[in-house]
Amino acid sequence: MAEPRSRYLVCEGREIHFTEWGAADAPAVVAWHGLARTGRDMDDLAAHLAPRWRVICPDTLGRGLSQWSPRPAEEYCLAFYVKLAVALVGQLGLDRFHWVGTSMGGAIGLRAAAGPLRGHMRSLLLNDIGPRLAAPAVARIRAYAGQPPAFATVGELETYFRTVYAPYGWLSNTQWRRLTETSTRRLPDGRVTPHYDPAMVQQFVHHPADYDQWEAWDTLDLPVLCLRGQASDLLEPETAQAMRERGPRAQVIEVPGCGHAPALNVPEHFAWVDGFLARAGAAGR
């Protein structure tokens, strides 16, 4: 696997970390991770795309190596994440680009495409996310993300990740180890825990309707592909069907062997992304 370039930029007064893959003059793809994850989740997809694309994989505010928010109630929300995205692509000189977003990363892309990045986003690929979330799944995510566990060893943390992220589908032992090592931080008492600010779940307290986005969805006018984990408890079949019928009339592909959310790490996933980007790129010329 090619090595990414690790970079930092100050966006809206906050230091944001991202990895960059591929040639600087190649057409661009922004690949944004899920709620309690980091940009390194996109390593396999980015390495696959890098020979043809410039791929930007940010760590959201409060995740990975990005700064934690000093104002969590106000800044851990889609509106502020969109502001960060606008500042990031602006500083990188990205005028036209594609967006691949897993879960929260897709929700950020949806809101940005309907708002300040309208006309700049060439296509939107949503990885197991839509304009409505199933309430029981949100409760499940809040339960594990809001009180991250701590373990004496990295090995124990990897075992935890293998359990809680089993719905991602198949990952090799190497991929599980990388997922663990790229999202681990050590606490003052020496234990290890997932690498994010637990306060980021305040989004669901202070912005309870943040992920209700049908109004934005119905205004979209760009190609949209949704990859839905066949066993997903977050993106319900009824919502996926409505996405086919409303707004941009998305193409929806059911991903076998996955729940929330497919890891985007195997040849079949790559082929779907490649095909969509190729079609969307041709349509946008």
Side-chain angles (χ1 to χ4, degrees):
M1 179 185 292
E3 288 297 318
R5 299 178 294 282
S6 178
R7 299 184 58 188
Y8 297 83
L9 286 172
V10 176
C11 303
E12 294 291 324
R14 306 288 178 249
E15 184 181 72
I16 298 300
H17 173 257
F18 61 98
T19 54
E20 182 176 16
W21 304 71
D25 59 351
V29 176
V30 175
W32 209 295
H33 65 84
L35 180 74
R37 300 299 310 139
T38 81
R40 297 299 302 274
D41 279 11
M42 296 294 184
D43 277 11
D44 293 292
L45 178 63
H48 170 77
L49 295 174
R52 302 172 302 284
W53 301 89
R54 179 187 184 189
V55 189
I56 306 298
C57 306
D59 288 342
T60 309
L61 183 74
R63 285 77 160 182
L65 298 178
S66 287
Q67 181 179 352
W68 288 17
S69 174
R71 302 165 65 183
E74 299 172 35
E75 296 183 352
Y76 289 142
C77 63
L78 294 184
F80 194 71
Y81 298 156
V82 169
K83 288 183 179 181
L84 295 174
V86 171
L88 181 66
V89 300
Q91 291 186 61
L92 292 174
L94 305 184
D95 182 59
R96 295 275 287 164
F97 52 89
H98 302 270
W99 188 287
V100 177
T102 292
S103 193
M104 179 197 69
I108 297 169
L110 195 167
R111 183 163 298 196
L117 294 180
R118 180 183 295 274
H120 297 281
M121 204 178 293
R122 300 174 66 183
S123 71
L124 176 61
L125 193 157
L126 301 174
N127 185 25
D128 208 62
I129 189 74
R132 179 183 177 276
L133 308 186
V138 173
R140 172 181 62 80
I141 293 169
R142 285 183 63 180
Y144 79 75
Q147 296 181 315
F151 301 95
T153 68
V154 174
E156 290 172 290
L157 181 59
E158 180 177 328
T159 298
Y160 166 78
F161 281 146
R162 284 175 179 255
T163 300
V164 75
Y165 295 131
Y168 283 13
W170 181 88
L171 279 78
S172 69
N173 289 333
T174 298
Q175 289 169 336
W176 278 118
R177 179 57 52 84
R178 187 179 71 241
L179 181 152
T180 302
E181 292 182 343
T182 58
S183 54
T184 297
R185 65 183 175 91
R186 197 168 292 277
L187 296 168
D189 65 5
R191 294 180 300 163
V192 290
T193 194
H195 207 323
Y196 63 82
D197 179 2
M200 59 85 177
V201 296
Q202 291 187 24
Q203 177 180 20
F204 298 101
V205 176
H206 300 287
H207 310 272
D210 228 8
Y211 288 88
D212 297 336
Q213 297 205 83
W214 279 120
E215 184 176 350
W217 176 264
D218 288 334
T219 72
L220 296 182
D221 58 357
L222 77 172
V224 179
L225 170 64
C226 176
L227 301 178
R228 177 182 180 272
Q230 199 168 56
S232 175
D233 64 344
L234 190 81
L235 179 56
E236 296 173 311
E238 297 80 5
T239 301
Q241 183 58 35
M243 292 167 69
R244 294 183 176 99
E245 300 168 352
R246 294 176 56 170
R249 293 178 171 81
Q251 177 189 5
V252 179
I253 295 174
E254 298 279 328
V255 183
C258 296
H260 181 75
L264 304 182
N265 66 323
V266 296
E268 187 176 28
H269 301 172
F270 298 158
W272 288 327
V273 176
D274 287 339
F276 176 65
L277 293 177
R279 293 190 299 273
R285 288 184 185 136

